[in-house]
């Protein structure tokens, strides 16, 4: 799915009038009826306009007697807010699938607001595309936002929500939606971007620019009288390098939290350099995020990249840094709000690895850890084109090996689809790496590729989805080996993803392992809220163990579902056939006999499975769950690979709330996986534990979300009927 951009034009007066209020030279037909809301349907409502909202908030809607043009406008004001949003929006208008449209409105806002395009599909469903956030305005001044929208292939009609999702007010007027219009070029945010103007106080440097250096090195900075365009540029030279870096950089500029920006500059360098974003918070503190490595170039060359602004940031500068002996010359820098057309459909650099940088593909690197022998090859044949990459592992004991593309900034809290073509003679794995602004990284395992029998000779495609966490500054997705064998990959892709939802969102609360502590730390809290969970037991810890059967029966007799978690909690993919069969069948038979329930579902220990395991599971169980992260929707539903969110010691209440919000917004099934709930006063034994106080807060968030809570079985019964 393509992403949408910003644009502007405004509209007019009168119910049927379609005359555009737009800059001269690019007027176009406005599709919005009553775009300046001048024609009233009643004292409180303009013709062809509606109000909408959801969630827990106190909001009022006004049809005002003042406006940006004419004498009317519409206003929404929120005085208390917990969740949800509120908006005025125009009656949906017909659109052409895959066509590009330009939306704009004039607005006054005391806080930052959001734009979302709502499409009605040919099948009668709804899909949504989030546009760039819109900054607050100052005082009584009117601002204008302009964004471009590409209709999905199944789109029938569209409206655009300019909405308020916090305490504050928003007034809009002169709304426009036009077909096929090219908006004006985005405004340049960098003062003196081509460094042509010298500083009045220090003529040896350009106005609005600063030089910086740290570490053990010798840096020399020059303000040259030649350039890529014009007659000036800036240069930094390093010698005696041990560590640190040196750079020229522009004065930080104001940006919108959560916004997406485009940066570029022209450069010459004799060594590889790097782009780094410097983010400034409202309290003045700063932190840094690597954007991309930049290959050396003896001639002028342009580098471009996207910069996604974190939610806590209101200023940014971009450092093009030199961190080796050599030189770097810069000119014609640019930073603009991302707009003027669809966002790049594939943000992975050099995705088909066709562009070489020496003996490796440009913008790619290799990674390995643990006890194994890994070799990496840049192969002269591919799925498409003439190149691909290959990793071979031998002498494997532990660790992994992989090719990795340069991390790219993606929009936080949004879902993306990753795909890759591959050949292999073993079992690969896929992981998304999320790089946080504090320098740490988090990892999310995607569902396992299931290679066909001919995967060693025939290219296979893998495709699946993930959600970007709110604190992720950049993302890499890589395919790795953690066993002996080889893996060849090509044609990597990332694109925004919108799930196809069910009739309503659901939540299931599941527990693995069957810890006895959960009888006192979890069961009473669940019962107090009338929440029924799914309990997955290891039967070795129950059968013949004092108190073991009573643990199962306490949950079963209270109305909770009983689920298998095998006999001994092994890595199922490593077991010979007879042992695998015993782990699956004996645990099911024992739990059914003990509980009196039909045990229809199994959760694999450690989330470990492969095609052989799934084929055996299908003989005995109606479903299978691992620890693959995600949400379950109509379009990705696989009853033998149910997706989950794993709750552990470091899981925050905000994370749980974001999962609930995502399930609610997309009508998907959220499965929460817990292990041991640590009773008050005791200490956690491992990362999969959760403290009772945290668990209680999380249950309250689930209750307050208003989402329907069902056991695993009950949820499957409801959802499979809709497929």
């Amino acid at each position: 799915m393509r992403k949408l951009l910003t644009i502007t034009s405004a509209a007019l007066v009168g119910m049927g009038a379609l005359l555009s209020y737009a800059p001269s030279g690019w007027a176009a037909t406005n599709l919005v009826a009553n775009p300046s809301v001048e024609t009233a349907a009643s004292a409180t409502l303009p013709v062809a306009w509606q109000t909408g909202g959801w969630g827990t908030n106190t909001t009022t809607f006004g049809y005002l007697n003042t406006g940006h043009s004419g004498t009317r406008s519409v206003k929404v004001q929120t005085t208390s807010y917990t969740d949800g949003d509120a908006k005025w929006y125009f009656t949906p208008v017909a659109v052409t699938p895959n066509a590009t449209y330009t939306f704009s409105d004039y607005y006054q806002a005391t806080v930052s607001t959001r734009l979302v395009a709502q499409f009605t599909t040919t099948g009668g469903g709804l899909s949504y595309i989030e546009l760039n956030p819109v900054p607050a305005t100052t005082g009584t001044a009117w601002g204008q936002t302009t964004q471009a929208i590409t209709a999905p292939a199944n789109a029938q009609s569209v409206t655009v929500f300019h909405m308020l999702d916090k305490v504050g007010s928003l007034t809009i007027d002169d709304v426009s939606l036009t077909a096929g219009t090219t908006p004006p070029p985005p405004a340049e945010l960098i003062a003196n971007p081509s460094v042509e103007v010298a500083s009045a106080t220090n003529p040896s440097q350009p106005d609005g620019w600063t030089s910086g250096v740290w570490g053990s090195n010798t840096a020399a900075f020059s303000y040259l009288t030649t350039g890529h365009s014009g007659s000036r540029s800036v240069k930094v030279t390093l010698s005696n390098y041990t560590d640190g870096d040196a750079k020229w950089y522009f004065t930080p500029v104001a940006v919108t939290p959560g916004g997406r920006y485009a940066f570029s500059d022209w450069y010459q360098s004799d060594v590889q350099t790097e782009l780094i974003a410097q983010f400034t918070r409202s309290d003045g503190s700063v932190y840094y995020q690597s954007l991309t490595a930049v290959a050396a170039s003896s001639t002028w060359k342009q580098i471009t990249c996207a910069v996604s602004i974190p939610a806590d940031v209101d200023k940014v500068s971009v450092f093009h840094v030199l961190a080796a002996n050599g030189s770097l010359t810069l000119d014609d820098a640019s930073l603009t709000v991302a707009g003027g057309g669809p966002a790049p459909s594939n943000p992975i650099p050099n995705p088909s690895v066709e562009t070489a940088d020496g003996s490796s593909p440009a913008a790619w690197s290799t990674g390995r850890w643990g006890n194994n022998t890994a070799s990496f090859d840049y192969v002269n044949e591919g799925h498409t084109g003439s190149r691909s990459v290959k990793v071979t592992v031998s002498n494997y004991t532990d660790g992994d090996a992989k090719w990795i593309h340069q991390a790219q900034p993606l929009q936080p809290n949004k879902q993306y689809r990753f795909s890759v073509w591959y050949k292999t003679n073993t079992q690969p794995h896929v992981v998304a790496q999320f790089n946080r602004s504090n320098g740490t990284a988090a990892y999310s395992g995607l569902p396992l590729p299931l290679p066909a029998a001919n995967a060693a000779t025939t290219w296979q495609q893998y495709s699946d989805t993930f959600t970007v966490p709110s604190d992720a500054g950049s993302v890499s997705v890589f395919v790795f080996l953690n066993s002996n064998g080889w893996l060849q990959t090509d044609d990597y892709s990332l694109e925004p993803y919108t799930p196809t939802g069910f009739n309503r969102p659901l939540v299931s609360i599941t527990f693995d392992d069957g810890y006895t502590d959960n009888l006192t730390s979890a069961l009473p809290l669940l019962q107090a809220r009338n929440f029924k969970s799914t309990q997955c037991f290891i039967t070795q810890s129950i059968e013949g163990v004092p108190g073991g059967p009573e643990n199962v029966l306490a949950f079963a007799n209270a109305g909770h579902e009983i689920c298998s978690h095998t006999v001994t909690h092994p890595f199922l993919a490593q077991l010979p056939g007879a042992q695998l069969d015993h782990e699956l069948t004996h645990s099911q038979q024992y739990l059914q006999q003990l509980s009196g329930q039909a045990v229809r579902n199994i959760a694999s220990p450690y989330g470990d499975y492969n095609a052989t395991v799934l084929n055996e599971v299908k003989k005995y169980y109606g479903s299978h769950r691992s620890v693959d992260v995600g949400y379950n929707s109509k379009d990705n539903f696989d009853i033998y690979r149910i997706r989950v969110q794993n709750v552990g010691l470091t899981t925050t209440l905000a994370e749980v709330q974001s999962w609930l919000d995502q399930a609610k917004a997309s009508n998907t099934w959220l499965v929460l996986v817990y292990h041991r709930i640590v009773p008050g006063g005791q200490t956690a034994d491992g990362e999969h534990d959760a403290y009772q106080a945290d668990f209680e807060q999380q249950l309250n968030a689930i209750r307050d979300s208003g989402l329907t809570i069902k056991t695993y079985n009950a949820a499957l019964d409801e959802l499979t009927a809709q497929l």
Side-chain angles (χ1 to χ4, degrees):
M1 180 177 294
R2 294 184 177 88
K3 201 154 172 196
L4 311 178
L5 312 186
T6 57
I7 152 168
T8 174
S9 58
L12 53 111
V13 182
M15 159 71 182
L18 295 176
L19 187 65
S20 277
Y21 177 97
S24 62
W26 59 284
T29 299
N30 190 354
L31 303 180
V32 179
N34 197 19
S36 297
V37 298
E38 294 294 309
T39 304
S42 68
T44 59
L45 186 70
V47 166
W49 284 79
Q50 304 170 55
T51 60
W54 65 276
T56 304
N57 54 74
T58 302
T59 297
T60 56
F61 297 91
Y63 185 21
L64 307 185
N65 289 316
T66 61
H68 170 255
S69 67
T71 60
R72 306 304 297 261
S73 58
V74 289
K75 181 178 182 178
V76 57
Q77 182 159 0
T78 298
T79 54
S80 68
Y81 181 87
T82 302
D83 56 24
D85 64 57
K87 61 266 184 181
W88 284 92
Y89 61 98
F90 58 86
T91 300
V93 298
V95 292
T96 301
N98 300 314
T100 299
Y101 294 81
T102 297
F103 170 83
S104 77
D105 68 18
Y106 283 84
Y107 70 97
Q108 295 171 320
T110 60
V111 292
S112 62
T113 53
R114 293 169 58 202
L115 281 179
V116 172
Q118 175 188 277
F119 292 98
T120 303
T121 65
T122 52
L126 296 175
S127 65
Y128 300 87
I129 298 181
E130 182 108 15
L131 310 182
N132 283 319
V134 182
T137 55
T138 303
T140 59
W142 287 89
Q144 186 183 26
T145 185
T146 301
Q147 308 215 18
I149 306 170
T150 300
N154 62 348
Q156 180 173 289
S157 63
V158 69
T159 187
V160 179
F161 300 156
H162 192 163
M163 59 196 190
L164 187 64
D165 63 352
K166 54 182 70 72
V167 171
S169 67
L170 168 66
T171 303
I172 61 173
D173 194 8
D174 293 332
V175 179
S176 174
L177 184 71
T178 58
T181 299
T182 301
E188 177 58 59
L189 301 180
I190 301 173
N192 197 20
S194 297
V195 299
E196 293 296 305
V197 180
S199 169
T201 57
N202 183 3
S204 64
Q205 69 181 41
D207 189 47
W209 286 75
T210 306
S211 59
V213 62
W214 68 276
S216 299
N217 56 72
T218 303
F221 296 93
S222 307
Y223 186 22
L224 306 183
T225 55
T226 60
H228 168 255
S229 67
S231 60
R232 305 304 298 260
S233 59
V234 289
K235 182 176 182 179
V236 56
T237 302
L238 277 183
S239 58
N240 305 314
Y241 182 85
T242 302
D243 57 25
D245 67 50
K247 62 270 180 180
W248 285 96
Y249 60 97
F250 59 87
T251 302
V253 298
V255 289
T256 301
R260 179 182 169 90
Y261 292 76
F263 173 81
S264 68
D265 68 23
W266 289 82
Y267 73 96
Q268 292 175 317
S269 64
D270 52 11
V271 293
Q272 179 173 287
T273 54
E274 184 180 8
L275 292 181
I276 297 174
Q278 180 197 59
F279 294 124
T280 305
R281 301 183 179 95
S282 57
D283 63 3
S285 61
V286 299
Y287 59 96
Y288 302 89
Q289 175 190 306
S290 176
L291 299 176
T292 187
V294 184
S297 177
S298 59
T299 60
W300 285 106
K301 185 175 182 180
Q302 187 180 37
I303 179 67
T304 63
C305 72
V307 184
S308 293
I309 307 301
D312 61 345
V313 166
D314 57 15
K315 289 184 180 180
V316 71
S317 185
V318 178
F319 298 166
H320 195 156
V321 305
L322 181 64
N325 289 328
S327 66
L328 168 65
T329 304
L330 303 178
D331 196 5
D332 295 331
S334 176
L335 183 71
T336 61
V337 175
S345 58
N346 185 7
I348 295 177
N350 195 17
S352 297
V353 299
E354 293 295 308
T355 303
D357 183 5
S359 59
S360 297
W364 287 77
S365 60
T366 60
R368 188 200 69 82
W369 68 275
N371 298 303
N372 58 74
T373 302
S375 62
F376 300 92
D377 297 298
Y378 189 20
V379 184
N380 287 317
E381 64 99 12
H383 170 252
T384 62
S386 59
R387 305 305 296 262
S388 59
V389 290
K390 184 176 183 179
V391 56
T392 304
V393 174
S394 58
N395 304 314
Y396 182 85
T397 302
D398 56 27
D400 68 48
K402 62 269 183 180
W403 283 92
I404 311 167
H405 68 80
Q406 285 177 356
Q408 297 298 304
L410 299 179
Q411 193 168 354
N413 299 315
K414 298 300 176 185
Q415 296 190 63
Y416 288 81
R417 177 172 292 280
F418 169 77
S419 66
V420 64
W421 288 84
Y422 71 97
K423 292 194 291 187
T424 188
N425 68 348
T426 186
Q427 176 63 66
H429 298 259
V430 182
V431 163
Q433 175 180 310
F434 305 114
N435 303 307
R436 302 187 181 104
S437 58
N438 63 5
T440 63
Y443 299 87
S444 177
L446 275 66
L448 199 68
L450 298 175
N454 63 347
T457 57
T458 304
W459 287 100
Q460 321 273 311
Q461 187 180 33
Y462 171 85
S463 179
D464 223 297
T465 62
F466 64 92
T467 301
V468 180
S470 60
D471 60 351
S474 62
V475 181
S476 291
V477 185
F478 49 83
V479 190
F480 69 90
L481 291 186
N482 61 356
S483 61
N484 290 328
W486 59 266
L487 168 69
Q488 187 174 354
T489 54
D490 194 8
D491 293 334
Y492 286 69
S493 176
L494 273 175
E495 61 180 1
Y497 162 72
T498 301
T500 302
F502 292 101
N503 295 343
R504 62 173 180 170
L506 297 177
V507 179
S508 294
I509 305 169
T510 71
F511 291 79
D512 284 358
D513 298 342
Y515 285 96
T516 304
D517 281 339
N518 292 345
L519 277 177
T520 56
S521 59
L523 181 57
L525 296 177
L526 292 166
Q527 293 297 99
R529 293 159 180 79
N530 198 29
F531 289 173
K532 303 305 178 186
S533 66
T534 298
Q535 301 285 328
C536 303
F537 288 95
I538 306 167
T539 57
Q540 178 181 260
S541 303
I542 301 165
E543 194 171 3
V545 176
E550 289 76 15
N551 184 10
V552 178
L553 291 173
F555 280 98
N557 294 337
H560 298 258
E561 177 191 350
I562 304 304
C563 159
S564 172
H565 201 40
T566 72
V567 178
T568 65
H569 204 270
F571 286 94
L572 293 177
Q574 300 178 11
L575 298 182
Q579 192 174 348
L580 173 60
D581 189 78
H582 175 73
E583 292 285 344
L584 300 179
T585 58
H586 182 74
S587 58
Q588 183 186 51
Q589 293 164 359
Y590 176 76
L591 290 171
Q592 287 181 155
Q593 181 181 21
L594 175 63
S595 68
Q597 293 185 16
V599 176
R600 294 165 46 189
N601 309 306
I602 186 169
S604 56
Y606 312 105
D608 184 50
Y609 66 93
N610 57 19
T612 300
V613 170
L614 293 184
N615 288 336
E616 287 301 304
V617 165
K618 291 174 184 178
K619 295 178 182 179
Y620 309 111
Y621 295 92
S623 80
H624 164 264
R625 170 180 66 71
S626 70
V627 292
D628 294 336
V629 173
Y631 305 85
N632 302 282
S633 60
K634 275 188 178 182
D635 57 307
N636 74 8
F637 191 82
D638 184 342
I639 200 167
Y640 287 100
R641 294 202 288 179
I642 299 298
R643 301 152 197 268
V644 306
Q645 298 293 343
N646 299 289
V647 187
L649 200 60
T650 61
T651 303
T652 65
L653 181 60
E655 285 179 284
V656 175
Q657 186 63 59
S658 72
W659 299 336
L660 295 167
D661 291 343
Q662 178 62 48
K664 188 172 188 176
S666 56
N667 277 1
T668 48
W669 178 28
L670 170 63
V671 179
L672 298 174
V673 177
Y674 290 89
H675 289 76
R676 175 184 175 229
I677 305 301
V678 182
Q682 296 189 26
T683 302
D685 293 332
E687 62 181 354
H688 300 301
D689 289 355
Y691 283 109
Q692 186 179 36
D694 294 335
F695 179 60
E696 184 167 16
Q697 287 185 323
Q698 292 159 7
L699 291 183
N700 289 341
I702 296 170
R703 178 198 62 202
D704 295 342
S705 73
L707 300 181
T708 300
I709 317 302
K710 289 203 167 190
T711 64
Y712 201 80
N713 258 342
L716 286 172
D717 288 343
E718 176 176 329
L719 299 179
T720 54
Q722 300 173 39
L723 298 175

